[in-house]
Structure formats: C-alpha cells, structure tokens
Amino acid sequence: SDVYNFPPEIKADKENFPLSLIGYDNEQKMIFTKLVGDNDVDQLISEIFENENNVEYLHARNSEACCFICKIERI
C-alpha cells in the first residue's frame, strides 16, 4: 500500500533478495547500474535521482536471478 518505499520484507531479506538498481535515460537506454548491497535501498534511490540527472527511471532487479521486481520513477 506504500508506493513510495520498498516493501520492508524485501529490504530485510538481503540474502534472498539481493538488489540491483539499473538506471535508464529518456531514450530507454541503460546508463547506470548499482548493487544495493548493505545500503538502504530507499536512501540509495533518493541519492541516485539527486546525483544522476540523466536517469529518468530505475528498474529494481534481483542481482542473482536478474528477475525484474519493479520500476521506480522520479516524483
């Protein structure tokens, strides 16, 4: 129900949900990647959007299985 933060269950389970954030520009080209690791994913998302002006949106993926989890858009 909280669309502005990552689900706490996924954030807490870094072993089963190792996350990567992949940034895309306005032409849908991949221009940025970052492993979340031990970082807080919500804080990292804010930092990416603050510092990477060309990133229009992010995809969150499972780093091991490469499964798509969600799209994250600037607000």
Side-chain angles (χ1 to χ4, degrees), residues 9-53:
E9 301 83 6
I10 292 177
K11 285 176 66 167
D13 192 357
K14 293 182 185 290
E15 184 175 329
N16 291 309
F17 291 102
L19 296 175
S20 295
L21 297 174
I22 303 170
Y24 295 85
D25 67 10
N26 60 357
E27 295 178 357
Q28 299 181 338
K29 293 180 183 174
M30 182 174 51
I31 59 169
F32 181 88
T33 60
K34 180 76 173 176
L35 292 172
V36 174
D38 291 330
N39 296 304
D40 179 275
V41 66
D42 291 313
Q43 180 65 38
L44 193 54
I45 290 166
S46 295
E47 290 172 9
I48 292 168
F49 283 141
E50 183 177 318
N51 298 321
E52 302 293 332
N53 295 328

Side-chain angles (χ1 to χ4, degrees), residues 52-67:
E52 302 293 332
N53 295 328
N54 291 336
V55 173
E56 291 294 319
Y57 62 92
L58 298 165
H59 280 181
R61 292 188 172 269
N62 180 305
S63 298
E64 290 178 357
C66 296
C67 297

